[in-house]
Amino acid sequence: MFGGPGAATLPAAAEPAPAKDGDSLVNLCDILDKPMCYARNENKSYPLGNLFIGDSRLGMQSDADEQLIIHLAFQEFVRVKSIKFSEWNMGSNPDMNPVTVHIHINRNNLGFEDIEDVDPAQTLTLTAADLQEMSDAIDLYYVKFQRVKSLTFFIEENAGADVTAIGGLQIMGRTVATTNMNDFKKQG
């Protein structure tokens, strides 16, 4: 007999707490899925990884021309609020600064052959003032950047040099609440 008077009841399995969004803005570069990140047309002497070490003298440069594709994948879904590009080598060569930057959301494997055929979520036109170390980050269309697993930046043109150089990159936002299936206990 099940469930009658005097029947033993099994303790209810503890349910995991509901997932919460991140409470404060953080630099989302700390949760990049680094093996899934890549750059196209990068100078091997100034690679993608240099953007995150905090020294603009060692930043990233394009190789053959001014165009550059940077693909950043995150370990989890995030909400992106703002982006901060920093100038190369404290502004020593302003002609190498990126000017037109197209931002694509959750698009994998974009190359130069197809990136111009895909509409970006947002396009930024950067000025020298935007790139200075003490300038504020640029706010994005927050509604479009709510559930981001990857960002692809297409630097289409720079301020006139043969190659593009970026001193650093910060991406500010919040983590998104997700369910960790490991928190659930098997029933039965």
Side-chain angles (χ1 to χ4, degrees), residues 36 66 102 131 137 185:
M36 300 303 292
E66 76 281 0
H102 303 286
L131 298 167
K185 305 286 187 255

Side-chain angles (χ1 to χ4, degrees), residues 65-116:
D65 59 23
E66 76 281 0
Q67 292 190 336
L68 187 60
I69 294 175
I70 301 169
H71 178 80
L72 302 177
F74 298 99
Q75 296 170 11
E76 58 189 275
F77 283 101
V78 296
R79 289 187 171 125
V80 181
K81 181 183 184 314
S82 59
I83 293 178
K84 172 73 173 115
F85 286 96
S86 299
E87 59 193 349
W88 167 264
N89 200 9
M90 295 179 275
S92 65
N93 193 341
D95 287 349
M96 295 171 74
N97 287 344
V99 173
T100 305
V101 180
H102 303 286
I103 307 170
H104 299 270
I105 303 169
N106 300 334
R107 300 290 243 158
N108 294 323
N109 301 319
L110 285 175
F112 289 105
E113 63 281 350
D114 56 0
I115 199 159
E116 291 180 357

Side-chain angles (χ1 to χ4, degrees), residues 1 9 27 34 43 84 96 118 136 152 175 179 183 186:
M1 181 164 119
T9 57
N27 186 350
K34 293 186 176 154
N43 181 327
K84 172 73 173 115
M96 295 171 74
V118 179
D136 292 333
T152 305
T175 56
T179 302
D183 290 342
K186 187 174 181 178

Side-chain angles (χ1 to χ4, degrees), residues 46-182:
Y46 299 98
L48 172 63
N50 286 359
L51 289 178
F52 310 109
I53 59 175
D55 187 346
S56 71
R57 297 172 297 173
L58 299 176
M60 180 183 193
Q61 283 188 13
S62 62
D63 189 27
D65 59 23
E66 76 281 0
Q67 292 190 336
L68 187 60
I69 294 175
I70 301 169
H71 178 80
L72 302 177
F74 298 99
Q75 296 170 11
E76 58 189 275
F77 283 101
V78 296
R79 289 187 171 125
V80 181
K81 181 183 184 314
S82 59
I83 293 178
K84 172 73 173 115
F85 286 96
S86 299
E87 59 193 349
W88 167 264
N89 200 9
M90 295 179 275
S92 65
N93 193 341
D95 287 349
M96 295 171 74
N97 287 344
V99 173
T100 305
V101 180
H102 303 286
I103 307 170
H104 299 270
I105 303 169
N106 300 334
R107 300 290 243 158
N108 294 323
N109 301 319
L110 285 175
F112 289 105
E113 63 281 350
D114 56 0
I115 199 159
E116 291 180 357
D117 298 332
V118 179
D119 289 334
Q122 187 167 348
T123 297
L124 304 176
T125 302
L126 302 174
T127 65
D130 292 331
L131 298 167
Q132 291 178 354
E133 190 172 328
M134 294 305 183
S135 66
D136 292 333
I138 298 169
D139 285 337
L140 300 178
Y141 301 138
Y142 196 55
V143 172
K144 291 186 175 185
F145 291 84
Q146 291 296 300
R147 193 163 172 80
V148 176
K149 187 70 170 154
S150 68
L151 292 172
T152 305
F153 300 97
F154 173 42
I155 290 100
E156 185 174 24
E157 58 186 21
N158 64 17
D162 291 338
V163 297
T164 297
I166 304 167
L169 176 61
Q170 290 182 336
I171 303 169
M172 303 305 291
R174 292 180 171 84
T175 56
V176 173
T178 57
T179 302
N180 183 350
M181 296 308 287
N182 294 328

